[in-house]
Amino acid sequence: MISTLIVVLCLIIGSVNHVIYGIQNTLKEDLELEKQLKLINKPPIKSIYTEFGDIVDCIDINKQPAFDHPLLKNHKLQRKPNFGKTSVKTSPARSIFGLDKDKCPLGTVPIRRTTKDDLIREKSLLNDHMIMTQKAPGIHVAEVSLKSRFGPYYGVNGTNSIYNPKLDRTDQITLSNLWVQNGQGDAGNKISVGWHVLPYLYGNDATHFYSTWTSDNYKKTGCYNIRCPGFVQTSKGYYPGARAPNTSTYGGIMIEVELSISQDPVTKNWWFQWNGINVGYFPAALFSNLASADQVGWGGRTRPPPGTPSPPMGSGHFPDYNIVHACYFTFVSYRDASGKNHGPEVNQIKTFTDNSDCYGVKYYGYIPKPNVGHVLQFGGPGGNCGN
């Protein structure tokens, strides 16, 4: 009788399916996911239910997931960078990614709670960081970057308009970002931050703020937001993965966010600021080759499944010099070794798009009127782009 029960139990474990977004999961895999969730979701001091149905846990700042990384075992928390805030420009309307009124208590940081369904959807993303690598099949790019011979670089800034491109499939990705990078191939170390629409990560087609990092061109390291240990949060109100409550309207009101990645001159950690607020940092210990950056840049990327049409990028419209049409970065600048920010000259930049029928990118340089600093636009409708 006991032997029969064991056999039946094994059959159940091997055959019961949990299906999310068309992804099947056995009971045995579910048990493994439960173990992962216990490691990912730390005991909260307080939990906040957002207007979008997410649960945000306020975690002791010294017990956040970042410190599970073996390279950060003896890491000393840095509360603030050894430089001031980036200068925040005036905006028609700024987006609040994060907690508005109900912030986490002092000494804690907000972390979006991970669910079992989140982990199941991420199965398709676990070993798929192609959206980050320029030469991977299916990736479409429209970007502006600085030539390495004008480096090294120690930071990048820009004010980015936020949109919600409509996807036809849940397995598509579209994003806008700025980044710092050093090295090529498996030696590629990179940090990027911005906004994206990625249903497989969040279970919805909304626009979310995100961050990524890698020390080997996403071969074995790096992930979105805090899905793996690494990024150290310091803000009690802002967090990676937060949803945008409002987005821009073509020809209408622009909703935007100022983004900045800057290296601390003392600790060499790479700090991320958002509208001048310190969200957190990527510790220098995570990287094999990011004492400085040989490339910084701005722009958009998309990825559809192989053999399918590509989704829109940005506003879904090509650059046309009209600031309320295509997605933009205004006030773009880079930081040099002295800690000073500079707007790129036209001879310092290179633009790249892999398919001009689907997406475009234009760098306009300095525009004095209206006061938008150095400006670029990118984006397009997508379609049959030859992926």
Side-chain angles (χ1 to χ4, degrees), residues 30-43:
D30 278 349
L31 294 175
E32 181 59 34
L33 292 178
E34 292 288 357
K35 290 172 62 177
Q36 291 182 39
L37 289 174
K38 288 181 180 179
L39 295 174
I40 296 170
N41 294 321
K42 306 297 182 181

Side-chain angles (χ1 to χ4, degrees), residues 14-331:
S15 62
V16 174
N17 292 318
H18 184 168
V19 181
I20 295 293
Y21 267 52
I23 304 169
Q24 292 190 341
N25 216 53
T26 67
L27 181 56
K28 184 178 180 179
E29 289 171 325
D30 278 349
L31 294 175
E32 181 59 34
L33 292 178
E34 292 288 357
K35 290 172 62 177
Q36 291 182 39
L37 289 174
K38 288 181 180 179
L39 295 174
I40 296 170
N41 294 321
K42 306 297 182 181
I45 305 299
K46 173 184 177 180
S47 293
I48 299 171
Y49 293 79
T50 73
E51 61 180 304
F52 304 113
D54 294 329
I55 300 175
V56 176
D57 291 325
C58 301
I59 307 299
D60 184 326
I61 194 171
N62 293 298
K63 296 179 181 179
Q64 60 180 295
F67 301 123
D68 290 339
H69 196 293
L71 293 176
L72 304 182
K73 185 176 180 180
N74 299 312
H75 180 78
K76 183 179 179 181
L77 177 69
Q78 185 178 359
R79 296 278 180 169
K80 60 181 180 179
N82 293 291
F83 55 79
K85 294 180 179 180
T86 57
S87 116
V88 179
K89 313 300 180 184
T90 27
S91 162
R94 292 198 171 273
S95 180
I96 300 174
F97 286 88
L99 305 175
D100 186 7
K101 297 178 181 178
D102 192 8
K103 291 183 174 62
C104 284
L106 190 66
T108 68
V109 291
I111 294 178
R112 182 179 180 268
R113 185 181 299 180
T114 301
T115 67
K116 186 185 295 185
D117 288 353
D118 290 334
L119 294 182
I120 292 172
R121 285 193 308 272
E122 287 174 27
K123 279 185 176 182
S124 65
L125 299 172
L126 287 178
N127 297 309
D128 182 7
H129 297 278
M130 292 194 303
I131 193 64
M132 307 305 160
T133 57
Q134 184 160 309
K135 294 182 180 180
I139 301 303
H140 295 294
V141 179
E143 295 176 336
V144 170
S145 60
L146 291 182
K147 298 173 182 176
S148 59
R149 65 188 176 91
F150 291 101
Y153 307 106
Y154 296 86
V156 61
N157 306 285
T159 298
N160 188 198
S161 54
I162 306 166
Y163 285 90
N164 180 235
K166 299 303 179 184
L167 308 185
D168 294 327
R169 301 168 55 112
T170 57
D171 50 2
Q172 294 176 329
I173 304 171
T174 184
L175 66 81
S176 171
N177 72 156
L178 54 72
W179 71 91
V180 296
Q181 178 176 330
N182 201 66
Q184 301 294 325
D186 291 349
N189 285 227
K190 185 175 184 179
I191 298 169
S192 62
V193 299
W195 57 261
H196 63 187
V197 181
L198 208 177
Y200 261 30
L201 190 63
Y202 304 101
N204 59 55
D205 57 2
T207 299
H208 292 258
F209 153 68
Y210 84 98
S211 65
T212 65
W213 66 273
T214 183
S215 62
D216 59 2
N217 199 27
Y218 298 97
K219 188 175 181 180
K220 293 182 179 179
T221 65
C223 62
Y224 293 101
N225 305 329
I226 59 158
R227 289 295 197 258
C228 61
F231 178 70
V232 178
Q233 288 184 225
T234 59
S235 170
K236 63 179 183 179
Y238 301 107
Y239 61 96
R243 179 170 168 169
N246 300 296
T247 56
S248 302
T249 303
Y250 175 83
I253 295 176
M254 295 293 102
I255 307 297
E256 58 184 32
V257 60
E258 185 185 21
L259 303 169
S260 171
I261 305 171
S262 300
Q263 188 186 65
D264 187 297
V266 178
T267 65
K268 308 305 179 183
N269 298 328
W270 291 88
W271 278 82
F272 168 54
Q273 291 185 330
W274 174 18
N275 287 346
I277 303 297
N278 298 319
V279 180
Y281 62 92
F282 302 87
L286 294 175
F287 302 101
S288 61
N289 184 24
L290 200 54
S292 63
D294 62 7
Q295 183 186 121
V296 299
W298 311 259
R301 296 190 171 199
T302 65
R303 181 179 67 82
T308 66
S310 298
M313 179 191 296
S315 70
H317 295 266
F318 288 102
D320 65 355
Y321 202 82
N322 190 326
I323 204 71
V324 296
H325 287 174
C327 191
Y328 62 74
F329 275 95
T330 57
F331 301 106

